[in-house]
Each structure stands twice: as structure tokens, then as C-alpha cells.
Amino acid sequence: MRKFAIGAATALAATGLVVPSANAAPATPDLAKLVTAKDIRRHLENLQTIADYNGGNRSAGQAGFTVSTKYVVSQLKKAGYKPTVQNFDFDYFQERSPASFGQTAPGKVDYKLDTDFTTYQYSGAGDVTAVAAAVDTPAPNADGDAGCQTGDFASFPKGGIALIQRGGCDFATKAANAKTAGAVAVVIYQKPTVADGPVGGTLGGPVAIPAVGPTYKVGSELVRLANAGGLKLHIKTDTLNEKRTASNVIAETRYGSSDNVVVVGAHLDSVDAGPGVNDNGSGTSTILTIAQKVGKLGKKGLKNKIRFAWWGAEEEGLLGSEHYVTSLSAAQKAKIALNLNFDMTASPNGVRGVYNGSDPTAPHGSAAIQKVINDYYGKRKLPTVPSDFNGRSDYGPFLEAGIPAGGIDTGAEGLKSAEEAKLFGGKAGQPYDVCYHAKCDRITNINWGLLDTNADGVAFAVQSFAKSTLPVNGEALRTGRSYAKPAPTAPLYRGSHLVR
Ligand code: DTR
Ligand code: ZN
Ligand code: ZN
């Protein structure tokens, strides 16, 4: 232990690194050095095994998720934590077998699943053949707001299938209006102002009738046939809608002020399609390893409490983190200094994205989190790029509650730019993660280099904020200097243009 501390201090001096705790004597260990890629890899392998033996996924409401929560709980207990499991109910949806969608009159046409159409999340189950009628068809090449008002269905034939163009309001509103008007199924087809392809979306909650989303090409052709008279469609969906329970696993350090808590979160669930080893075994395993080592910072290094959270049902719409934040009282919320979120830290063609806390809409303090992480990588001469807060991960409910947030994200389905390929290597024009939400998001999908260096940044940020959150929320220690001097950072961007 002592030997390690000396070793760590020497290594720090050699690289010119200064952690905020470097002022303290004797030196506290460097958490980034305690957290090894080997430890993280072991968790990833275990999550892969859990998925392999439980239907190939770790999706909320399914066995692989339940076993994943038990794994995290067990690992935490072994490390001396008293984890809590916060349960919540959610609308579980599953497509039990592939849907079919076709024209039975005037022609006989079978549309191709995934190419010509998809099933909406929360579609009802059914097997119907009925006359189809177009609802409030917009002008050509316009989005319009078909089916958004109940009046749009004034002449809709009860017992028919509603043909509605996407646009103007939620899919849920269109489907609910169609159901109310007596439709036995609803077809919400792609709008013409986006690249054509089937519409995949969510109805937000269970709908009693089948709902499918074809391409604009298919949808507009069906509208033409319906208006000519005599269009009949066949739709079969085999879906399951029921309430199920998911959970968040939460555990906090013994030391540290409970009045100034740092919430470090990662979602534990995967999608249905695969084991979710990058999304989000990577974040899960990184913060689990950090939780297992953070105690080594001791009372001196843990001025603020670190509360680790593994969120459930992120993939169903940030349900776990939303449940957690909205269940807090105003007083409890006020005691959260910040949220660090880690969702996909090892994308195979990834970048080192640091959440863009400088976004003017982000709660004040978020930019300071971004700077702490960027400064760390700046000193290691490792590149970072800003990653937009797009509302697609569990920082969302924290930002909405006015709590500063930050974290690292290596990218999902987006395409790597030429500038990013120059900075990070990899392939320009290709997705950051080709296996995003797919069966191949296995252990073979992990970018070990990014996983490792990102874990260092996560560890550094956790260690910094365990010591002090002064730059984020103005909380200073009662005695002594709370924070190291900020490092001057050369801007990487001018506007949206990469300058170095
Ligand atoms: N929230 C992730 C998807 C994700 C991660 N990083 C990004 C960046 C841009 C868009 C999406 C994402 C998920 O759980 O699917
Ligand atoms: Zn995902
Ligand atoms: Zn994710």
C-alpha cells in the first residue's frame, strides 16, 4: 500500500500529472492506477456470460437483466457496500414473432419486414384484414399533421385500417385518434422530408391495435390506391404488452459528506437484440471496478460521498434514472452536487467524447465537469471531442432537475468524421459502433484502448470530485485549499470547427 503510494507519486511526477489531491501529504493513491483494464474485462466477460445463458440479452424485464442486477449487487457486497435495489414498474413490450403486412386487394403484395416496414414499440397484437382509408393526406412533399386532430377522422370508416403520414405530432397521438375513430389497425408511414426508410418509433405505451410503420414509398402508394377505392390490407402483429418490474442498483461510499453527493451512473440494461457489452457493459463495468477500488482513497480522499448507480430500463426511455430523480424530495435533490454518466465508453470505431457541459442550456457547473475531464486528457496528450447532450442517456433527468452533469461517451450509430479519424484513428464515414443495438455487441465489439484510457478519466473525475466539487457547485472544504489550480486549456474548437 505504502509502496504503491510512493510508486504512484513518482509516476505522477514523471508525467507531470497533478491530481487535486496532490497537495495532501501523505499522497493519496491515484484511483486511475488502481483501476485496471483487467478488472474491467473480467466484469465484461461475466456480463457476456450472463447474456449467453439468458436468451442472448440483458434487457429490462428479462432474465439477463435480473441476473445482471444480482451480479452487480453481489460484487458490491463483496467490496463492503450495502447496495439498495430500487424497483419500479414499466410497460414491457416484446415482439414475439415477426409481423406481416401486405396488400390483399386490388393487388397481392407482401411487404418486407425491416425493409418496407417495422412494428411500432407498444403496438397491440392482432391479425386483421380490412379496407384501408387515408386520413388527412398532406400535400406532396410536405410533412403536414395528418391524424393529429380527432376531426381528421370525421369520414373514417369504422372497422377500417387508418393510413396516416408521419409528422406534426407524436405517433402515440395518431394511433390513439385512430383507435378512438374505430380503426382496427393503424399504418403510420414515413414522411417525405427525411431519407426514406421504414419508420421505427415508440407509441409511448401500450396501444390496443396493431401499428406498423412503412416507408414513404409504400405509404404514399397505399394512399393512392385507397383514394382510388378498394384497397384492402392485411396486418398481423404478435406482440406482448404487460407491466414488468425493473430495478436500479444503488450503493454509496461510507465516507464523504451526504450533503454533497456525487452520483456516478451507468445503465445496466441492454436492448433486446443483443448482450450489450459496449452498450452498456462498458460503463457498467468501469464504474463497478471504480466502486470496488474507491475505498482506497480513505477518509481523507473521500470528502464527498460517491453514490454509484446502475440504472435499469434506460433503453425503454431512461426509465430507471427518471424514476430515481423524480422519487427524490427537493431536499434530497439539493444534496446532489453533480451526475457523472457513462454510456458506451468503448465503441470499436469510437472517439473520446466528453459531454458538452458548455452548452448554454446545461445547468451551470456542467462546463466545469467537462473541463476537469478535458484537462486530464490534455495533460496525457490524449484527444477529446465534445459530445452533445442529446437527451439520449441517463444524465437527462439530472439536467432537467437542474443538476450539473458530465461524462464520457464514445459514440453510437453516428458516423466518424474525417477530422475525428485524424484525431483518434479508425474509419471515417463509418459508424462509431457498427454493432450498436445489435446482436454483435459482444465482448469482441470492445475497443480495449478506449475502454482503458476512458476508465482512467472516469477514475480521475471521481477522485477529483470526491475531494472537492468547488468548481462545479461552489462547495468548499472548511479548511485548506480545496482545489488544484486549473490547467490552461487550449481550445480544440472554434465554433463547430476543429482547430487542432
Ligand atoms: N444512450 C445510448 C446511445 C448513445 C450513446 N452515446 C450516444 C451519442 C449519440 C446518440 C446516441 C448515443 C443508448 O443507450 O442507446
Ligand atoms: Zn442503447
Ligand atoms: Zn446506452
Side-chain angles (χ1 to χ4, degrees):
M1 180 66 194
R2 191 172 136 73
K3 195 162 168 256
F4 180 80
I6 290 167
T10 315
L12 278 178
T15 56
L17 272 178
V18 181
V19 293
S21 58
N23 303 327
T28 2
D30 180 356
L31 190 57
K33 292 222 165 57
L34 296 177
V35 171
T36 70
K38 205 171 142 217
D39 292 324
I40 303 173
R41 184 182 187 119
R42 188 174 58 90
H43 293 314
L44 289 172
E45 284 167 350
N46 290 339
L47 293 172
Q48 175 72 66
T49 302
I50 288 169
D52 286 345
Y53 283 84
N54 288 281
N57 69 63
R58 301 183 301 104
S59 173
Q62 300 197 51
F65 179 72
T66 307
V67 179
S68 295
T69 63
K70 289 186 175 175
Y71 176 71
V72 171
V73 166
S74 144
Q75 289 292 310
L76 289 167
K77 282 185 177 163
K78 286 190 175 84
Y81 287 90
K82 291 192 179 70
T84 57
V85 176
Q86 181 185 39
N87 292 323
F88 55 92
D89 287 345
F90 73 105
D91 289 314
Y92 176 78
F93 171 80
Q94 193 178 26
E95 211 168 353
R96 289 194 282 207
S97 64
S100 42
F101 173 44
Q103 194 190 127
T104 59
K108 298 240 176 304
V109 186
D110 281 333
Y111 298 111
K112 233 180 134 204
L113 183 62
D114 295 330
T115 308
D116 297 324
F117 78 101
T118 59
T119 313
Y120 280 94
Q121 187 189 29
Y122 297 122
S123 159
D127 187 346
V128 298
T129 303
V131 165
V135 174
D136 186 28
T137 316
N141 291 314
D143 284 356
D145 63 348
C148 295
Q149 279 81 36
T150 51
D152 296 346
F153 295 82
S155 58
F156 184 77
K158 235 179 169 12
I161 293 174
L163 272 176
I164 308 172
Q165 187 174 294
R166 175 188 183 187
C169 61
D170 291 349
F171 303 125
T173 305
K174 294 178 192 250
N177 287 343
K179 169 80 178 62
T180 306
V184 294
V186 59
V187 176
I188 306 171
Y189 61 92
Q190 184 62 284
K191 57 187 183 182
T193 50
V194 294
D196 202 7
V199 205
T202 184
L203 301 172
V207 168
I209 55 175
V212 294
T215 60
Y216 178 70
K217 189 164 173 268
V218 169
S220 53
E221 171 65 3
L222 292 178
V223 166
R224 193 183 65 75
L225 293 169
N227 290 342
L231 173 67
K232 265 190 161 183
L233 295 175
H234 170 236
I235 302 178
K236 181 171 160 255
T237 49
D238 180 19
T239 58
L240 172 67
N241 279 294
E242 66 182 25
K243 286 274 182 215
R244 287 200 182 177
T245 302
S247 354
N248 297 323
V249 178
I250 297 163
E252 55 185 33
T253 54
R254 183 154 73 95
Y255 295 127
S257 166
S258 47
D259 289 338
N260 195 46
V261 178
V262 178
V263 176
V264 178
H267 74 85
L268 179 55
D269 61 312
S270 75
V271 289
D272 228 48
V277 177
N278 182 34
D279 182 16
N280 185 30
S282 58
T284 288
S285 303
T286 298
I287 71 164
L288 184 53
T289 305
I290 288 175
Q292 290 171 322
K293 301 286 167 84
V294 77
K296 299 217 172 43
L297 297 181
K299 202 173 173 182
K300 266 190 98 96
L302 283 161
K303 301 292 186 201
N304 303 315
K305 219 176 249 312
I306 307 294
R307 185 175 298 155
F308 295 96
W310 288 265
W311 310 119
E314 186 267 0
E315 300 290 6
E316 318 304 318
L318 319 181
L319 301 184
S321 50
E322 177 78 22
H323 178 79
Y324 173 78
V325 172
T326 55
S327 302
L328 296 171
S329 66
Q332 287 169 323
K333 267 182 233 173
K335 290 178 179 176
I336 297 179
L338 66 136
N339 168 236
L340 296 176
N341 185 64
F342 303 99
D343 185 358
M344 305 179 75
T345 65
S347 301
N349 190 37
V351 293
R352 185 174 296 99
V354 177
Y355 289 133
N356 189 14
S358 321
D359 184 312
T361 63
H364 291 173
S366 305
I369 304 173
Q370 182 184 17
K371 180 167 166 54
V372 165
I373 300 174
N374 278 340
D375 286 355
Y376 172 77
Y377 287 115
K379 283 179 203 146
R380 283 190 61 177
K381 305 227 177 316
L382 290 171
T384 64
V385 287
S387 170
D388 286 342
F389 279 130
N390 59 11
R392 282 177 61 180
S393 196
D394 296 300
Y395 51 76
F398 288 89
L399 294 181
E400 258 171 53
I403 297 168
I408 297 173
D409 142 50
T410 57
E413 80 277 24
L415 303 182
K416 185 176 255 183
S417 70
E419 290 94 332
E420 289 172 337
K422 247 184 237 151
L423 281 172
F424 298 96
K427 288 200 173 92
Q430 296 295 311
Y432 300 116
D433 182 357
V434 265
C435 290
Y436 176 61
H437 285 184
K439 200 173 171 181
C440 59
D441 186 9
R442 303 180 55 77
I443 193 125
T444 45
N445 192 40
I446 290 293
N447 182 328
W448 298 102
L450 272 184
L451 180 84
D452 191 13
T453 52
N454 286 345
D456 292 343
V458 180
F460 179 85
V462 168
Q463 181 162 9
S464 298
F465 296 129
K467 185 85 178 162
S468 171
T469 62
L470 174 68
V472 176
N473 69 345
E475 273 303 314
L477 300 180
R478 250 166 293 178
T479 53
R481 193 163 110 197
S482 302
Y483 216 78
K485 271 199 183 140
T489 29
L492 195 58
Y493 275 83
R494 181 163 301 122
S496 59
H497 301 280
L498 211 52
V499 293
R500 69 178 166 93

